[in-house]
Each structure stands twice: as structure tokens, then as C-alpha cells.
Amino acid sequence: MGKSKIEKITSAVTLDRSRQPKSGKPKDVSFPEFFETKTDSGISVVVIEDRKLPLVTSRFIFKTGGYADDQWGKKYEGLASLTTELLTKGTESRSASVIADEVDYLGASLSSGSDYDAIYISTYSLKKYFDSVFAIAADVILNPAFQEAEMNRIKEQRINSLLSMSDDGDYISDNIFRSEVYKGSPYSLQSEGSKTSVPNITTDLAREFYTRYFRPDNLIIAMVGDISPEEAILKINTELNFKNTEKTLYPEIISPEKISGSRVYLYDKKGAVQSSIKVGHQGIKRNNPDFITLNVMNTLLGGNFSSRINKNLREDKGYTYGSKSSFNCQRFCGDFSVSTEVKNEVTADTINEIIKEIKLLRKVEAGKNELKNVKNYLTGIFPLQLETPNAVAQKVLSLKLNDLPSDYFNKFIKEINDVTPDQIHEAADKYLHPDDMIISVAGNVNEIKDMMKQFGELSVVEEQ
Amino acid sequence: MSDQTLNLEFTEFDLPNGLHCILYQDNTKPNVCVMPAYQVGSKDEVKGQKGIAHLFEHMMFQGSENVSKTGHFDSVMKAGGTCNAFTGFDSTVYFDLLPSNKLELALWLESDRMNSLNITQTNLDNQISVVLEEKKQVMDNIPYGTMTSNYLMNVFKGSQYEISVIGLEEDIKSFTVKEALNFHNNYYSPENCVLMISGDINIEKTKDLINKYFGSINKKNLIQREENIITELKKNDSMTVEDNVQLSIVSVCFQIPGEESREDFDLEYFTEIIANRESSRLHKKYVYEKNLFKSVHANKICLKEAGILIIFAMLNPGTDTEQAAKILNDEVKLFYESEINDREFERIRNQLEFRDVTKNLIMNNISIETVKNYMNFKDTSLINSSFKKFSKVTKADVKETVKRYLIDRNNFTLNYIPKIKIQ
């Protein structure tokens, strides 16, 4: 390891510190190349080869999730999530303990999870253990046992998790927000289940869910790291033979009800010394063509530390440690929200400032410089977001999941740079609705109730 | 199987003003990470100023001679980067992650705030508010949020590790502009800083740039540090907190030697064998088979001069807290009295090997670990050899260390129970 000294120290007294240095020539940023194909059985495969480290990740994504629970009804919300969790809890030839023991022994991970749009199963390991871990993942996907005892165990665990999560104000205000913003659509369900729905879920239902959605045409696989496309395809073709190869049928998606006039929902959080606030309304689905314009607009409004809302609430007013606005874009619908935690007494002031910033953006065109800074930020951090092969894979998978073209990220930087002040202004007008918002707050209701009446019809929510 | 999974090369040098520089070149991605780390943390705080090191870190973003309030953040972000900082007990670390053609900008920004700070009463008042909200958000307003501060207060009583980094509300509120400027003068001197630059750089050009921006910064006025005297726990102690939570937590904790000590490596095997993963002993028995715990973990809070080993279980409704504490204590005894089987020992080794390889994935993580290794242990390339140290650990080492620090010493039990009983 070289330890060296600078031999000659040049004098630096002439440095003029008042002048910000000019930057060097930027390097070309291109999205890493990836391989994609479809197997004979209909599985979409993406391979991102990166030989820097002896690591391999495999990710399996089934294009279904919490939104599909709706076909069974609210009584069974959480079905997709529990079905997913049950997969790694036993196959026809391996018990839950054997699966955990085999994976842990290799220092590897086998994880599963779900959200509204997808079910995820993934492995991560050193290259030398990849064959073993992949075999377990394939077993879990193809031959789950759906044992009664394991189902009962994870149901009890889930009910206790729900109890524990409801101690957190942010979790509660998020939940209220979701159920109101998405009212009438499958996205209003609680994808992790509720204490009333979880007991209703049975192994028979899990098996039914599995049979309907775990089919090759509904599966996307990404293989990432120290592996070639040839190796990856061979592995999938030899180890992943589905018995059920029928075409997957997808449900019709009902859109959420329109929100007219703002509505306030308060939850009395025992002992709260801050208000957990989430305000917003419906947004866009991920493959909406205005996604990039809205990304730029949101970054300027509240998307990063330098944004208008954060500067106002934190650096000017000192109301909060931080705030964030975001467009949460899912496959079939989305939402826009601003969230923050503030001291009780400024809860209403905070919401007024948020509304003020949204209205200002709709009224006055954003300055050229401000817009340029935002574009520089978004295009500059893009390569920072591609630091690991897994991060690249995640981006590619989001394309596949949302039916976006493969060259999407090759044009990304150019499209960001092409956004005009006019487009931002139009988008703000079209997609921001400061007078028709869901305002959800978990906090000390006694202290904040009166001040919250100014924003619209107010309800105190009892149960979450 | 090779014991050395990493082989990173570092270039090191000192400027005449004492600034220690570490460069790590990796040109595979067009990014650079600039990380000045100051050897000052909350353990240097005197009585009446608890929380000052962290609040001061906030003030470093409030403007310097040539950079306006929020100018640091704004400049980095509009250059297409991100920046942040974190304050620990032993050090305060700042970092800027940018496209590599903006390296000079980061050096300009960092050198300006090392050279001179511009602190106004308005900005200080503003950040005091922000930090008080931060304290609520990370501690007072979240379930079990005061756990860490209770561990510290009881396990490190009377030492400089006693109060958590976020500090005490009264002290934070009373911080003055003059004290902030003194803090800068006392600790933010080039010889008290390690500057690490990693990523897409050219070593010679980077040396010249460092010299250009940092070479002319004068040494400041480093002061005598508070002595950090850590004493063993005098007796087995316990504490129960009623919190706004629905599930109880029982935790047993022990004072252990500092990070990167031989014992620290031994205890890593212990924590992983008894808890955390599904195949660990406690999880298998009490989460899976007996259904008494919702989850069970064993972690270490690793500081330079000492640490805390914590075994904690979140209880399913109906599980008695005393019974849970007994289970945890018995398991520690059983660990010492029974054999560690080969398979579970190899499992930990495999887990550590995997963790070691993945360390190399993210530049920022390499930098954080490396500046810490230099500051705390004067061993810059420790990252390359840490897995080797893990590989050398024997079953006998683990058991001996467990006996010495867990069995033969006193411990502290901390329980959190619901204020309102679940119906």
C-alpha cells in the first residue's frame, strides 16, 4: 500500500476563494447495456452482466400484487402478501427450517415480498453458491407446499406486525391517505392486510391466488452480476419448468373516485409530540407520457433538499427536520403527496405553506435558472443511481413491469433537458389540485383539531 | 478459499498544515466522493453543551465566507450531486457525491467552510428549531425511540458516551453564536481532519487540487479533550419504560470492548449464532417453535473505546417480560456451556465473507470505513484485512470472550411495555 508525500509544496496564497471554480468537461453518461429475451415458455428475461465482483443476484417478478386482492374483496386484503410470504415457508421437499438453514449456511439471502403491483422473490449470493441458491428459489416458486401450520404462524406474526406498525404516526397517516385517495379502486386496499382480513385468509385462497398468477407469461426474471446471458438462459430453461403454462388473465381495474373539495382526516396518536402530515391527491400511472415533466416539476417543488417546500418549511421557518413531495406512480394509477413531521402548533401553518407553494407553481412560471438547476441535478445524479449492477437491474425491471420501451433510459437525460418552463406550467395546472386534497394527519387531535377545520370537511378517524 | 477478499489500494499524504489525505482511485464509474472527516464527536462535549457537535454539523451548511446559507447544498445539487453529513460519538463526517468533473467544486466548498464559517443568530435559531424537530422525529415521537439513549445512559454512566449524539433539549436551546465559532476554532482545524477522495480521479491532479484549496488553511487552536473514562457496570441493573407501544420489548445488554478489537470480531460470531437470521438459535426456538417472540436480534453498538452488545426480543402479546429476560440470559449461559457446532460456525464465516465482498460495491461505504479506520486505528487499509481477522477466530476464542464479557460481568436489562394494555 503506497504511502507517499508530496515532495514539492507550491504556494497557494494567491488563491481567490470568492470565485467558484469552473467544472471540467462532463463525461458521457450512457445507460449500461443489457441483454433481454423471452424463453419458449414465455418468461421475460433480462441479464445485466458485470464481472467486477463474484456476486450474482436473481430477481423474479410476477406481475400481480396487492391490487389483485380486490377480486376476492376487502374481506381478504393481504392475500397477495401472505401468499408470497408463505412461498419460502416450505416446499414439497423442503420444510421452512430447511430452506432457512440452507440459505443462511451459504451466507446468501432468499427474500420475498410484494407491493400493489408486483410480487418479488430474489436471491443474492457469492457466485460459487449461486447454483445452490437458485435451485432453492426455483423450488420455492414451482413447488410451494402451502402448509396449514405455516400459514397459521405467518398470520399470527402478521397480526402482531400490524399492531406494532400502528404505533408509528407516519404509517397511520399514510394508510388513511391511501384509503381516501384511492377510494373505490383496488389500490385503496391495505396490501399488508388488516387485523380483520388476515384471519379470513386460508391456504386454499393462497393456492387459488398462486394458481391464477404464478405462470411463466406473468414472470420477469433479471439475472445480475457475475453471469453471462448464456449461463442465465440455460439455468432458467433447465430449472424453471412450470406445470401451469396457461395464459394469465388480468382483472379490469376500476379507477378511484374523483375528489372534489379538500377533506381532512385526523387520527389521535397517543402521546404524539409531532404531527405526521400527508397531503395530496390522485396522480398518474407510471407509463404516463408526462412522467418526466412531472419528475422535473416535483423536484423543483418539493423533491429534494434544495426544493421550494423544504427550503420554506425547514430552512426558513424551522417547522420540521425535513419534508418531501413525490409522485408515487404505480402500474394503473398513482398519487401525488407532500409529507412531513412538524411540531403540533404549526400543523395548520405548515399545510397553508404547502398549499401556497403549490398555488404559486400553478400561477407563476418557474424561472429559467431554477429550472436549469433542477435539470442539472436530475441528470447529474442519474449516473450516481447506477453505481451497482443491482441498481441498474431495478431500473430495467421497472421498464418491463410498466410496459415501457427498452431504450427509455437512453433518452432519459435528453428528455429531462428538453422540458420547458411552459410545460412545467401546464403540468402544474393539469396535475396539481390544491383545492381538492386529502389532508391526513396523525397527531395530538385535541391540540390541532380546531385549527384544521379551515381546510375542509373534517373527520376524526378512530380505527386503523 | 482465500482469506483476503478485498485488495484496495490507497494513496496517503499529509499537507504541512497537518491535513491527512487519502485517495482511492476507481475509474469504472464517472463519479467522485469527497469526504472530509473531523476527529470530533459528541464525546468531546462538555457538560451543559450536550448535542453541540451535531448542531454544529448543521451550522456547517449555513454558510461560510464565500458560500451563502444553503449554498453548499444548492451548489452540490445543481452540479448533479448530493451531499450530507453525520455526527457520531467519535467523529463528524461530511460527504459530497458528484459527477467527477465537479471534483474541484466540492474541494472549493469544503475548504471554504474549513477555513471560515459565517454564523448568524437568525441561522442558528433556525437550525436549533430544526434539530429539536429532528430529535422528536428520531427519538421522542417514534415507538421505542428512546431505547438507545437509555442503553447509553446506563451502560456508559459517567463517561463521555453517556448522552446520545442528538443531545439534551435544554443544552441545544442554549447554544450561542460565540460557542459555535469557538467550536469551529477548537476542532475544525486541518490537522484534525482526514480528507478522503475516492472514485473517478487522477491521483497527481487530485493532489495538486487538494494543495490548491487546502494548502493555505492555517492550523487553528485545538484544545484539550475531555477524558473519556469508561467504568464497568457495578451491578446487574434493570429499567422498565412505559411507552406508547402495543408490544413489549425485552433487552439484555453488556459492555464490550471497542470496535475492531479482537473481542469485537469474536462477538460477531456470537451475535449471529444466537440471533438475527431465521436459522439462529433464539429465532428457531422462540420465534418459530414456541411462538413466544415476534422477533429476536443481537446487535452491537460499536464505538472507538467501548461498545454495547444488545440481545433484544419483541414479545408476542401474552409473553411475560420476566420469562423473556430469563430466556435471553439462559441462552447466553447455554452458549458458553455447550458446543458450537461446525455447521453454525461455518455459516457465520460464509455470511461474513459475503458481507466483505459486497463492501466493495459502493464508493461512499469504502470511504466511510476507511476514514474511520485511519482516524480510530491509524490503519488505512484495514478494510482489506478485516475478513482475514474474522477467518482466524476459533470456537474457543468466541467462548472465552463470551465468558469474559457476558458471563462474568454485570449486565443491564431494559424493558419497554405498553402504557395501555391491549384489550
Side-chain angles (χ1 to χ4, degrees):
Chain A
M1 239 80 323
K3 203 172 168 98
S4 59
K5 293 260 180 196
I6 295 183
E7 302 89 30
K8 212 177 88 194
I9 304 295
T10 46
S11 164
V13 283
T14 49
L15 175 69
D16 177 5
R17 289 194 183 273
S18 68
R19 283 228 299 267
Q20 185 170 327
K22 291 206 171 63
S23 48
K25 201 172 161 285
K27 296 210 169 160
D28 281 339
V29 174
S30 52
F31 194 78
E33 278 181 30
F34 58 91
F35 170 89
E36 58 181 323
T37 188
K38 210 167 224 169
T39 66
D40 292 340
S41 61
I43 303 171
S44 300
V45 180
V46 171
V47 182
I48 294 159
E49 188 176 351
D50 185 327
R51 303 281 185 174
K52 190 175 165 189
L53 294 169
L55 293 165
V56 185
T57 304
S58 58
R59 291 159 172 261
F60 304 84
I61 296 190
F62 288 93
K63 293 199 275 179
T64 184
Y67 86 87
D69 291 351
D70 193 45
Q71 292 159 83
W72 286 268
K74 186 166 174 61
K75 208 178 150 194
Y76 301 106
E77 59 188 351
L79 175 60
S81 169
L82 285 172
T83 304
T84 308
E85 193 174 339
L86 197 53
L87 294 177
T88 58
K89 303 295 177 237
T91 69
E92 284 156 19
S93 57
R94 290 177 170 96
S95 69
S97 307
V98 166
I99 293 170
D101 185 73
E102 285 184 20
V103 173
D104 286 354
Y105 176 71
L106 302 173
S109 67
L110 166 66
S111 47
S112 63
S114 62
D115 57 23
Y116 284 87
D117 289 338
I119 284 175
Y120 309 86
I121 295 131
S122 61
T123 71
Y124 194 15
S125 70
L126 290 172
K127 166 87 170 174
K128 60 187 171 186
Y129 302 131
F130 177 65
D131 287 348
S132 312
V133 188
F134 189 89
I136 301 168
D139 190 27
V140 156
I141 290 168
L142 297 175
N143 314 303
F146 297 110
Q147 287 159 13
E148 210 65 51
E150 293 296 339
M151 182 59 132
N152 290 337
R153 187 174 282 125
I154 65 170
K155 277 162 68 174
E156 194 181 333
Q157 284 274 332
R158 181 60 61 91
I159 285 172
N160 291 335
S161 295
L162 289 166
L163 265 180
S164 185
M165 284 191 285
S166 67
D167 291 333
D168 180 20
D170 290 347
Y171 174 79
I172 294 174
S173 73
D174 282 3
N175 259 348
I176 298 172
F177 179 82
R178 172 171 285 276
S179 68
E180 292 303 323
V181 162
Y182 291 104
K183 200 172 235 172
S185 92
Y187 286 82
S188 68
L189 299 180
Q190 214 169 314
S191 65
E192 64 275 26
S194 66
K195 67 178 178 197
T196 49
S197 73
V198 170
N200 301 332
I201 293 169
T202 60
T203 50
D204 282 347
L205 284 173
R207 206 173 274 120
E208 204 178 302
F209 188 97
Y210 173 86
T211 311
R212 211 178 277 189
Y213 291 110
F214 281 65
R215 300 179 181 189
D217 71 323
N218 198 31
L219 173 60
I220 311 164
I221 301 178
M223 305 277 246
V224 188
D226 195 357
I227 188 166
S228 70
E230 294 73 27
E231 286 173 87
I233 298 296
L234 184 66
K235 189 114 238 159
I236 291 166
N237 282 335
T238 44
E239 301 217 18
L240 221 62
N241 296 308
F242 282 82
K243 280 163 249 165
N244 183 351
T245 54
E246 282 167 66
K247 213 165 168 309
T248 310
L249 299 173
Y250 299 101
E252 287 274 328
I253 303 293
I254 306 152
S255 296
E257 293 164 14
K258 193 174 171 348
I259 303 165
S260 34
S262 290
R263 305 198 298 263
V264 180
Y265 296 88
L266 304 182
Y267 177 87
D268 194 29
K269 180 78 190 59
K270 292 276 169 295
V273 291
Q274 277 183 319
S275 290
S276 301
I277 300 175
K278 194 166 173 106
V279 302
H281 45 65
Q282 286 151 22
I284 55 161
K285 55 181 179 180
R286 179 60 183 84
N287 63 13
N288 181 312
D290 289 331
F291 177 85
I292 286 182
T293 307
L294 288 176
N295 189 5
V296 175
M297 182 195 83
N298 179 64
T299 305
L300 183 146
L301 176 67
N304 69 19
F305 189 90
S306 287
S307 65
R308 291 180 180 186
I309 291 177
N310 191 59
K311 273 203 175 154
N312 180 341
L313 297 180
R314 174 180 153 132
E315 293 297 305
D316 185 42
K317 309 283 189 318
Y319 288 169
T320 178
Y321 177 50
S323 63
K324 199 160 184 59
S325 72
S326 58
F327 276 87
N328 167 32
C329 304
Q330 301 160 129
R331 273 178 76 197
F332 302 108
C333 54
D335 63 82
F336 161 76
S337 72
V338 184
S339 18
T340 184
E341 291 84 23
V342 301
K343 44 187 154 194
N344 297 350
E345 63 268 28
V346 299
T347 306
D349 293 341
T350 299
I351 292 165
N352 272 319
E353 290 301 323
I354 292 169
I355 294 172
K356 198 177 92 187
E357 292 292 356
I358 295 173
K359 287 190 169 164
L360 183 70
L361 190 65
R362 296 180 85 218
K363 207 167 137 196
V364 185
E365 204 164 87
K368 279 223 168 61
N369 252 338
E370 189 184 14
L371 187 57
K372 194 171 139 243
N373 292 345
V374 168
K375 289 179 184 178
N376 287 348
Y377 168 72
L378 288 172
T379 53
I381 59 160
F382 186 61
L384 290 173
Q385 294 167 340
L386 305 173
E387 191 174 1
T388 66
N390 271 316
V392 176
Q394 214 151 3
K395 284 213 161 6
V396 176
L397 286 171
S398 75
L399 299 182
K400 299 278 136 210
L401 183 62
N402 292 289
D403 307 313
L404 289 161
S406 297
D407 63 350
Y408 184 87
F409 288 115
N410 301 68
K411 299 178 188 160
F412 186 71
I413 288 183
K414 187 184 175 305
E415 288 192 17
I416 296 257
N417 283 326
D418 286 348
V419 174
T420 65
D422 235 23
Q423 284 173 311
I424 299 277
H425 198 218
E426 268 170 45
D429 195 60
K430 183 170 172 193
Y431 292 107
L432 297 176
H433 313 294
D435 296 319
D436 304 296
M437 297 209 290
I438 298 299
I439 298 172
S440 161
V441 183
N444 186 326
V445 168
N446 269 342
E447 265 188 62
I448 62 174
K449 192 175 175 184
D450 286 341
M451 61 169 104
M452 294 302 290
K453 287 177 181 155
Q454 60 179 299
F455 299 111
E457 191 191 303
L458 183 147
S459 330
V460 176
V461 186
E462 294 295 337
E463 183 88 355
Q464 265 306 305
Chain B
M1 203 186 314
S2 156
D3 281 345
Q4 186 153 343
T5 49
L6 292 186
N7 190 15
L8 311 181
E9 281 195 35
F10 302 101
T11 304
E12 285 182 274
F13 56 93
D14 289 312
L15 294 189
N17 60 13
L19 179 71
H20 186 76
C21 305
I22 305 171
L23 309 182
Y24 167 63
Q25 184 178 1
D26 176 352
N27 303 99
T28 52
K29 298 272 151 52
N31 312 325
V32 67
C33 171
V34 172
M35 180 177 287
Y38 293 87
Q39 313 204 44
V40 57
S42 63
K43 77 166 176 208
D44 298 305
E45 295 165 345
V46 296
K47 207 164 182 286
Q49 293 194 347
K50 297 295 179 185
I52 292 323
H54 167 252
L55 175 57
F56 183 81
E57 174 230 293
H58 278 241
M59 296 315 294
M60 287 283 280
F61 292 93
Q62 294 292 309
S64 49
E65 193 180 351
N66 301 294
V67 180
S68 63
K69 173 181 160 88
T70 74
H72 191 105
F73 259 105
D74 292 345
S75 306
V76 170
M77 290 188 140
K78 73 185 183 200
T82 61
C83 59
N84 213 332
F86 50 90
T87 307
F89 287 89
D90 303 305
S91 60
T92 308
V93 179
Y94 298 81
F95 64 87
D96 309 283
L97 283 166
L98 304 107
S100 51
N101 64 321
K102 307 284 185 179
L103 169 64
E104 195 169 348
L105 170 73
L107 297 177
W108 175 72
L109 288 165
E110 291 297 351
S111 64
D112 204 55
R113 65 182 179 181
M114 183 193 287
N115 195 40
S116 65
L117 262 200
N118 183 18
I119 298 178
T120 67
Q121 190 64 51
T122 314
N123 291 348
L124 180 62
D125 290 344
N126 167 253
Q127 289 304 306
I128 287 174
S129 282
V130 169
V131 168
L132 291 175
E133 291 312 302
E134 180 179 0
K135 182 169 177 288
K136 289 182 203 161
Q137 201 176 319
V138 300
M139 203 165 138
D140 307 324
N141 204 44
I142 57 166
Y144 318 103
T146 52
M147 243 162 88
T148 305
S149 79
N150 283 325
Y151 290 140
L152 295 164
M153 218 152 18
N154 288 282
V155 175
F156 290 138
K157 196 171 277 174
S159 78
Q160 289 298 105
Y161 287 152
E162 184 176 355
I163 306 293
S164 56
V165 173
I166 194 85
L168 304 173
E169 187 174 333
E170 323 73 271
D171 292 9
I172 295 166
K173 279 180 178 161
S174 70
F175 198 33
T176 66
V177 171
K178 190 159 175 278
E179 283 169 327
L181 291 169
N182 280 341
F183 200 86
H184 192 249
N185 202 33
N186 293 341
Y187 295 109
Y188 280 68
S189 185
E191 80 269 38
N192 202 37
C193 180
V194 176
L195 175 65
M196 173 134 188
I197 300 175
S198 52
D200 183 25
I201 55 169
N202 168 299
I203 299 284
E204 288 310 313
K205 277 186 192 157
T206 306
K207 280 181 180 174
D208 288 344
L209 284 174
I210 291 174
N211 193 39
K212 176 176 170 187
Y213 286 98
F214 291 88
S216 64
I217 298 178
N218 293 325
K219 287 189 183 184
K220 296 196 180 70
N221 194 16
L222 287 185
I223 61 160
Q224 187 76 36
R225 310 276 175 134
E226 293 293 307
E227 215 182 334
N228 192 8
I229 303 160
I230 296 156
T231 52
E232 274 180 41
L233 290 170
K234 303 247 175 345
K235 58 177 172 67
N236 283 328
D237 215 344
S238 72
M239 175 180 177
T240 296
V241 178
E242 287 193 358
D243 199 0
N244 293 300
V245 298
Q246 308 195 53
L247 300 180
S248 298
I249 283 187
V250 168
S251 55
V252 182
C253 46
F254 307 85
Q255 195 185 91
I256 56 170
E259 63 186 322
E260 300 281 349
S261 59
R262 195 183 59 79
E263 294 87 348
D264 178 34
F265 286 85
D266 297 343
L267 291 171
E268 190 71 25
Y269 279 84
F270 168 77
T271 55
E272 293 299 313
I273 287 172
I274 74 157
N276 301 333
R277 294 243 188 168
E278 276 182 47
S279 57
S280 66
R281 294 181 182 181
L282 281 165
H283 189 101
K284 246 194 220 160
K285 279 188 256 185
Y286 301 103
V287 177
Y288 188 77
E289 284 164 20
K290 302 214 165 113
N291 212 9
L292 292 171
F293 298 164
K294 182 181 173 307
S295 59
V296 59
H297 293 275
N299 293 331
K300 292 177 291 167
I301 297 178
C302 294
L303 307 176
K304 183 184 171 186
E305 287 154 66
I308 307 177
L309 188 145
I310 304 156
I311 309 171
F312 72 101
M314 186 178 262
L315 313 188
N316 282 335
T319 304
D320 177 61
T321 50
E322 268 175 49
Q323 182 198 3
K326 186 173 179 320
I327 287 171
L328 300 183
N329 280 309
D330 286 351
E331 197 66 34
V332 177
K333 275 195 209 88
L334 186 70
F335 185 92
Y336 177 66
E337 285 158 9
S338 62
E339 284 308 304
I340 301 170
N341 74 48
D342 288 341
R343 190 170 164 89
E344 63 186 348
F345 202 71
E346 281 163 28
R347 165 169 74 86
I348 312 310
R349 196 185 181 282
N350 289 340
Q351 287 176 15
L352 293 167
E353 186 186 8
F354 175 77
R355 195 164 82 188
D356 203 63
V357 174
T358 55
K359 265 185 194 172
N360 203 357
L361 278 169
I362 296 175
M363 212 165 52
N364 201 21
N365 295 350
I366 295 175
S367 295
I368 289 171
E369 189 161 340
T370 302
V371 293
K372 189 196 73 192
N373 287 338
Y374 175 79
M375 283 193 293
N376 290 353
F377 314 109
K378 293 285 173 288
D379 186 354
T380 308
S381 50
L382 194 58
I383 194 169
N384 291 326
S385 59
S386 83
F387 181 62
K388 205 179 217 161
K389 289 184 182 161
F390 276 122
S391 307
K392 284 196 182 128
V393 172
T394 66
K395 289 180 187 173
D397 294 336
V398 178
K399 283 178 78 165
E400 196 209 300
T401 302
V402 166
K403 178 173 190 322
R404 197 157 152 214
Y405 291 96
L406 275 56
I407 308 262
D408 293 348
R409 300 251 177 118
N410 295 315
N411 63 40
F412 170 68
T413 304
L414 178 64
N415 302 325
Y416 275 68
I417 58 167
K419 238 178 213 167
I420 305 157
K421 283 260 175 289
I422 313 162
Q423 308 85 340

